[in-house]
Structure formats: structure tokens, C-alpha cells
Amino acid sequence: MSRQRSMETILVSEYVSIGELVRLTGSRYSTLKHYTEEGMLPFEQAEENLTRRYRREETVARILWIKELKANGLSIPEIKEALDHE
Amino acid sequence: MTDLKLAQSFALIALNAQSSLYLTNAKKVSLRCMAAAVILEANLEGCFTQAENKLTFHKEVLEQSHSTLYREKVLQPLLHNHTEVIGDLNWWLKKASNLSKKKLKKFEIAISDYLKSINMLEEIPSLLGSDMYFDSAGVEMRAYRSNLETYSRITENIRAEILEEGSVTDEIICMLWLLRESGCMHDFFSRNELEKVNTRMNELYQSNLLAKALFPIQIHHGIELGIKQLLEMKTKFMKTYTGSSINFFFPFLERSQAVFIETEAWFDNSNKRLNSVLTRLRSYGHEVKVIEGGSIATLKIDNMLYDAMPHFVIMRVPIQGVRLVPKHPV
């Protein structure tokens, strides 16, 4: 079975898993899962049962932006709207 | 953002909020599992040579410069004076977890010193030391606190890997086993999530070689874990309606966890009361964040969540304050 990827490898790879996003951004898993379900974090999935893959650079930037908006007091629907207008 | 090894990551979870001065029962359970984590870490890094089911460890591997001091503290006693030792995974894990109290203490110092040197762990005054009864008695209590961000990265990563579809890495398989053996599963997964974790662990057992070898092994000591479970059962009972009312009449029943912080004055306003408690906790060196305000506020103190319930005790005069009741899962 596979070993966990090192931070060096993650930082150069194009795609990351949700667990690796947690390691990169320090966000809670349930938060990222919620964002994904709300359609705020786009992902790719090869087949139904395979892991969701996220584009690393774009997704990390997006999460940081969402965090910033949240810190400014915006609610999730408002953040969604802001992301749609992007 | 550093890459931590398996035993280091697990130590950050296991040592968090444990007493740093005394060898409590809960810390003994953690230390035994941490010693087993050292074996698993060495195994993942290929320090053992494997032939069929037997794992062989050569002394030279330990002498190589990259092996860290905490690893030596576990492996050296198992090697004695032999140049190589052979045993299956079960044998190695059981031997490591059965180290004497003295050796466990040395191992604790080695690993906590290392984690402190990389700013991942610190010693702070224990939250229980802020309790009015302990504070006024002048009892010194200190506890470990893991780096807040790293702690949540590690625990959330475990949750993400196991609760998400797809493959699970070897590190997470070892972590799950360590969490199970140290009796910490309930701290990180809610009851619904635990059902899913159970199913996933069964699937892994069927499909993964490491899981198949590891999951049937049990290193926990019945008596120690029994005491821990009894305390957990007590905590669960105290959360029920009857339990909580008993607890408010006889607060010493849950003294070990529910901390009473007295406020300097009588406040009719919950915000003022909360602010007074926050100031007091911060003055003791705790990192406090208000997750939810209101009359019963939810506070994140260091790495743990607490409900702050307004409460008073009657000594010679009534003393108003707040009782901090731990909340699980985090």
C-alpha cells in the first residue's frame, strides 16, 4: 500500500487530495468537505469510488480567499455569491 | 509546515493536555502506545529486514546518525547486548509497549525534548491548576500543549483520510490502530463517524496487508484501559440529565475534568462574566478562543473544546464562577 506523500512532493504536484489540502491549509476536514459540497471548491473525480482530486494552486488560493472573506464577517451564501462573481 | 514522522505526530496527539510532571494513568496508556509508534515508524522507514512474518533489527541501523534519540530509548532496551533481534510485528509491539515505568519516563523526556526543540510542544500551567480549589491550595500543575495548528493538521488529516472515499495511506492505518489502542477514538470521531470508521477499518483489514497484520494485535493493558473507560463512562453518565444535576450538587464527582473558575465579582451580564473568565485564563498562559458566545459559551482552550456553564459554589459565602466542561469530539 502507499506511503503518505512528503510535503516536498505535495508542494510540487498539480493535484492533491482533501487530506493533503488539510495538511496544506490547516483547515478542518469537515469545513473543506462542506465547501466542496456547496460547490465552492471545484474538483475532478475519475470514477465514482475514487478519491476527489483538487488542483493544488487554485484550490489553496481559493481556501485562503474564503478564509479572508469569512474573517471579514461574510456568511457562506455571501461568500458563494462573491466566488460566483469572480 | 514540517514533515513529522509517525511517532512524533502521534506523540503530539497523545501528550496534548497530559500532566507533564506526574505519571498519571492516562499518560501511561499514551506512553505505551507512543513506544509502539516508534516501532511502527521504524518499520515504515524500512529499518527492519523482513523475511516471511519475521522482522529483524540490526544494531548498526541504530548506530547510524539519522536515528533519533527517542528511537534509541525504545529500541536499545529491546536489543540488550545482541547485535540483532528477530521477532514478528506482534512481538515487537508488545515488547515496546511493556517497557518499565523508568524506561517509559526516559523515553518521554527524549521525545518531549525533541518536540520542544522544534517548537511543536510546550509546557504550560495545567488548566486544572486554574481551578479555584487547586489554585487556592497552591498545587503546582503543569501540562503539555501541542502546537495548536499542527495538532489540528494532524487530527483533521486522519479524519479526512479515513472518512473520505479512496485509498488510505500506511501512516493513517498505523494512526488508527494507535488511536484504538490508546482508547482515543471517541475524542476525534462522533458516534456516527465511528460507524463509518469501523466499516472502513474492516474493509482495510480485508484488502490491506499492513492492516491485516496490525489490526488483530492488542497491546493495551486491561486494567489501565479499564480505568480510563470507567472514567469515560462516568463522564458520559454525567452528561445525561440526571447525571448533570447530580454533578452540580456534588461537583467533586467530576473534579478531574470539569474545572471551576471563579469570577472576581457577581455579574448579571453573561458577556462580562465571560470576559472575566477569559482574562483569568489568559493570565495563566492559556490560549483561549470563543467559538460561540451566549449564556453557555463554547470555548477553545489550547486544543480542547469546553462548555463554560455559569455556576456557583457555597463556601462561607457563595462564590460565583464558571464551570468548564470538556466537549468531545473536538
Side-chain angles (χ1 to χ4, degrees):
Chain A
M1 204 66 185
S2 61
R3 287 286 313 272
Q4 189 166 287
R5 296 202 294 174
S6 73
M7 205 42 106
E8 273 177 15
T9 326
I10 296 174
L11 284 172
V12 291
S13 56
E14 195 184 348
Y15 288 98
V16 290
S17 70
I18 195 164
E20 288 166 343
L21 276 180
V22 168
R23 288 174 71 195
L24 283 171
T25 62
S27 311
R28 290 191 63 172
Y29 160 66
S30 23
T31 314
L32 294 185
K33 193 164 179 266
H34 177 66
Y35 290 165
T36 308
E37 279 162 6
E38 289 286 317
M40 292 153 76
L41 301 179
F43 61 87
E44 288 172 29
Q45 194 169 20
E47 275 172 54
E48 188 72 358
N49 280 332
L50 289 177
T51 328
R52 287 189 278 241
R53 303 189 313 159
Y54 299 80
R55 282 182 177 276
R56 178 179 57 82
E57 274 181 59
E58 292 163 26
T59 318
V60 170
R62 215 159 220 250
I63 294 168
L64 294 180
W65 195 37
I66 295 174
K67 273 189 176 180
E68 205 181 306
L69 292 177
K70 228 177 156 203
N72 290 338
L74 264 70
S75 66
I76 294 290
E78 285 167 337
I79 294 174
K80 266 174 86 175
E81 211 169 295
L83 289 172
D84 289 341
H85 286 298
E86 193 191 356
Chain B
M1 225 179 337
T2 44
D3 270 325
L4 290 171
K5 292 174 192 242
L6 178 72
Q8 297 164 359
S9 305
F10 180 70
L12 284 180
I13 301 180
L15 286 179
N16 184 50
Q18 299 269 17
S19 159
S20 64
L21 298 177
Y22 312 105
L23 187 64
T24 57
N25 186 62
K27 194 165 87 176
K28 216 189 292 171
V29 175
S30 299
L31 286 175
R32 289 194 194 290
C33 290
M34 279 159 60
V38 171
I39 301 289
L40 291 173
E41 176 187 300
N43 188 26
L44 286 181
E45 285 185 13
C47 297
F48 289 95
T49 38
Q50 193 165 5
E52 290 172 17
N53 282 332
K54 298 286 177 200
L55 297 172
T56 314
F57 191 83
H58 296 276
K59 205 174 184 181
E60 304 96 71
V61 182
L62 204 59
E63 283 156 5
Q64 280 163 16
S65 57
H66 68 264
S67 67
T68 31
L69 184 65
Y70 68 83
R71 216 184 261 191
E72 269 178 47
K73 294 286 175 203
V74 174
L75 287 164
Q76 201 80 58
L78 302 186
L79 281 172
H80 291 297
N81 293 322
H82 306 289
T83 46
E84 62 167 46
V85 176
I86 308 172
D88 57 9
L89 188 61
N90 185 9
W91 183 87
W92 279 102
L93 293 173
K94 283 211 165 131
K95 274 277 175 192
S97 62
N98 275 329
L99 288 178
S100 67
K101 271 190 208 172
K102 207 172 153 188
K103 285 178 181 133
L104 282 178
K105 186 74 199 163
K106 279 187 186 163
F107 166 58
E108 183 199 341
I109 293 170
I111 197 160
S112 62
D113 278 353
Y114 173 75
L115 291 171
K116 278 180 204 165
S117 72
I118 53 168
N119 293 328
M120 287 293 158
L121 192 75
E122 56 186 330
E123 267 186 64
I124 53 159
S126 165
L127 183 62
L128 199 57
S130 316
D131 186 297
M132 189 185 72
Y133 297 97
F134 287 90
D135 187 33
S136 52
V139 180
E140 201 208 352
M141 299 187 87
R142 298 189 71 75
Y144 289 115
R145 175 172 67 193
S146 311
N147 180 292
L148 303 183
E149 208 183 329
T150 314
Y151 182 86
S152 80
R153 273 177 212 266
I154 297 169
T155 53
E156 291 299 326
N157 182 33
I158 302 173
R159 283 167 49 78
E161 290 248 356
I162 194 73
L163 295 174
E164 195 74 3
E165 297 294 327
S167 61
V168 177
T169 59
D170 289 349
E171 277 86 352
I172 300 300
I173 290 173
C174 296
M175 273 288 188
L176 281 174
W177 179 79
L178 289 165
L179 288 182
R180 188 192 77 191
E181 290 304 300
S182 55
C184 291
M185 279 288 194
H186 289 272
D187 297 351
F188 301 108
F189 298 102
S190 67
R191 198 170 286 178
N192 290 339
E193 285 167 351
L194 272 177
E195 277 173 29
K196 191 163 183 199
V197 173
N198 195 19
T199 324
R200 291 276 276 158
M201 281 179 83
N202 282 335
E203 281 169 17
L204 285 170
Y205 177 73
Q206 304 291 342
S207 61
N208 184 299
L209 282 178
L210 178 66
K212 204 170 182 69
L214 191 60
F215 286 170
I217 302 173
Q218 291 191 344
I219 55 160
H220 59 250
H221 286 210
I223 298 172
E224 283 170 7
L225 216 62
I227 296 173
K228 198 175 162 173
Q229 270 159 4
L230 178 77
L231 292 172
E232 271 168 13
M233 260 167 59
K234 195 193 79 177
T235 315
K236 264 187 207 153
F237 170 69
M238 289 307 174
K239 277 185 185 157
T240 59
Y241 182 74
T242 333
S244 62
S245 45
I246 290 176
N247 202 24
F248 271 75
F249 282 112
F250 307 105
F252 53 85
L253 285 175
E254 217 188 0
R255 176 73 54 76
S256 65
Q257 289 192 314
V259 181
F260 181 74
I261 309 286
E262 89 268 28
T263 45
E264 319 273 305
W266 284 88
F267 295 117
D268 49 0
N269 177 322
S270 58
N271 278 340
K272 282 186 195 163
R273 185 174 52 226
L274 188 60
N275 284 336
S276 156
V277 172
L278 294 182
T279 323
R280 199 176 162 85
L281 288 172
R282 284 185 184 129
S283 73
Y284 280 95
H286 296 288
E287 281 194 34
V288 195
K289 201 173 148 194
V290 182
I291 305 284
E292 210 179 307
S295 56
I296 299 179
T298 307
L299 303 179
K300 188 177 180 191
I301 306 172
D302 304 324
N303 285 314
M304 316 277 268
L305 282 187
Y306 292 89
D307 273 333
M309 311 221 179
H311 184 50
F312 70 93
V313 290
I314 298 178
M315 310 293 276
R316 278 187 196 150
V317 286
I319 301 173
Q320 198 194 23
V322 159
R323 193 162 279 283
L324 298 173
V325 183
K327 246 182 143 171
H328 288 300
V330 190

